[in-house]
C-alpha cells in the first residue's frame, strides 16, 4: 500500500516538474489538476466534518465545485501558456533539489492555503454582513487580552 502512495506522490511531483518547466503534455496538466482538485475537495470535506459549514446544500458535488473555484487562480496561465503562480512557488524548490516529500508538503501547504484564502473570499461575497460581524468579533477578542475564541 505504501509503495502505491509513494508512486502516486512521485508521479504527481513529476507532473508538477514538467508543468513548471513548460515541458508538460495536456494529459499531465489535466492529471495534476484533477489530483489537486481531489485533494482540495477532500480538505473541504474534512472542514465540514469538523463542523465548518462549507456547502450551501447537502449535495456532494458542491465540494468539487468549491474546490475548482478555490484553485482556479492558482492554475491560471499567462499569455505564453505558463503557470506563473506554480512556477514562482515550485521552481526554487526544484532548483535546490528538494526531496519529493518536501515538495509534496509544499504542494499540500499551497493547496490548503489557497483553498482557505479563496473560501474566505467566497464566504465574504455570500454573506458580507456575517463576515463583518465575524471580523469585528475577532478584533474585539484580540484587543481584550482576556478573551479567547473557542472552536467547537
Amino acid at each position: 500500500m505504501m509503495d502505491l502512495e509513494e508512486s502516486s506522490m512521485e508521479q504527481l511531483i513529476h507532473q508538477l516538474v514538467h508543468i513548471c518547466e513548460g515541458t508538460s503534455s495536456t494529459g499531465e496538466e489535466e492529471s495534476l489538476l484533477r489530483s489537486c482538485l481531489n485533494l482540495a475537495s477532500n480538505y473541504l470535506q474534512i472542514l465540514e466534518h469538523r463542523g465548518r459549514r462549507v456547502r450551501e446544500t447537502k449535495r456532494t458535488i458542491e465540494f468539487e465545485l468549491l474546490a475548482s473555484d478555490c484553485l482556479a487562480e492558482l492554475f491560471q496561465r499567462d499569455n505564453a501558456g505558463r503557470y506563473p503562480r506554480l512556477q514562482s512557488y515550485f521552481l526554487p524548490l526544484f532548483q535546490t533539489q528538494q526531496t519529493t516529500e518536501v515538495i509534496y508538503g509544499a504542494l499540500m501547504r499551497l493547496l490548503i492555503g489557497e483553498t482557505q484564502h479563496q473560501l474566505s473570499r467566497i464566504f465574504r461575497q455570500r454573506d458580507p454582513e456575517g463576515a463583518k460581524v465575524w471580523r469585528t468579533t475577532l478584533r474585539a477578542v484580540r484587543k481584550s487580552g482576556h478573551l479567547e475564541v473557542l472552536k467547537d
Side-chain angles (χ1 to χ4, degrees):
M1 181 73 162
M2 189 61 160
D3 291 334
L4 179 62
E5 290 175 9
E6 284 182 25
S7 127
S8 297
M9 184 171 59
E10 288 174 5
Q11 183 179 5
L12 190 69
I13 301 306
H14 184 72
Q15 293 167 345
L16 187 60
V17 168
H18 284 178
I19 285 172
C20 289
E21 291 176 344
T23 60
S24 62
S25 67
T26 304
E28 285 178 314
E29 293 171 1
E30 289 174 0
S31 178
L32 179 69
L33 179 59
R34 267 193 311 277
S35 297
C36 290
L37 288 173
N38 188 33
L39 290 168
S41 176
N42 289 340
Y43 175 68
L44 292 170
Q45 290 176 30
I46 289 169
L47 288 178
E48 188 162 281
H49 181 71
R50 289 183 176 170
R52 186 159 176 198
R53 186 168 171 255
V54 175
R55 299 178 290 173
E56 290 186 51
T57 67
K58 293 295 179 188
R59 296 179 327 165
T60 306
I61 194 159
E62 279 191 79
F63 289 121
E64 290 91 22
L65 294 173
L66 268 173
S68 65
D69 287 344
C70 290
L71 298 183
E73 290 181 18
L74 189 61
F75 283 90
Q76 280 185 332
R77 294 178 186 231
D78 61 11
N79 292 336
R82 295 181 304 250
Y83 297 91
R85 294 212 35 217
L86 293 176
Q87 288 177 326
S88 67
Y89 194 84
F90 288 105
L91 282 177
L93 295 176
F94 300 147
Q95 291 168 349
T96 58
Q97 298 179 351
Q98 296 295 320
T99 64
T100 302
E101 291 80 13
V102 169
I103 294 170
Y104 185 76
L107 176 63
M108 292 304 297
R109 282 190 303 278
L110 179 64
L111 293 176
I112 288 171
E114 187 69 16
T115 301
Q116 287 175 338
H117 174 74
Q118 295 299 333
L119 201 56
S120 294
R121 183 187 56 77
I122 290 167
F123 288 155
R124 278 194 310 271
Q125 289 173 349
R126 262 191 216 162
D127 183 13
E129 286 302 313
K132 183 177 179 181
V133 168
W134 180 247
R135 282 192 312 272
T136 304
T137 303
L138 288 177
R139 194 176 309 121
V141 167
R142 280 189 218 115
K143 284 183 179 180
S144 75
H146 64 279
L147 295 175
E148 62 182 279
V149 176
L150 299 176
K151 293 185 179 184
D152 292 334

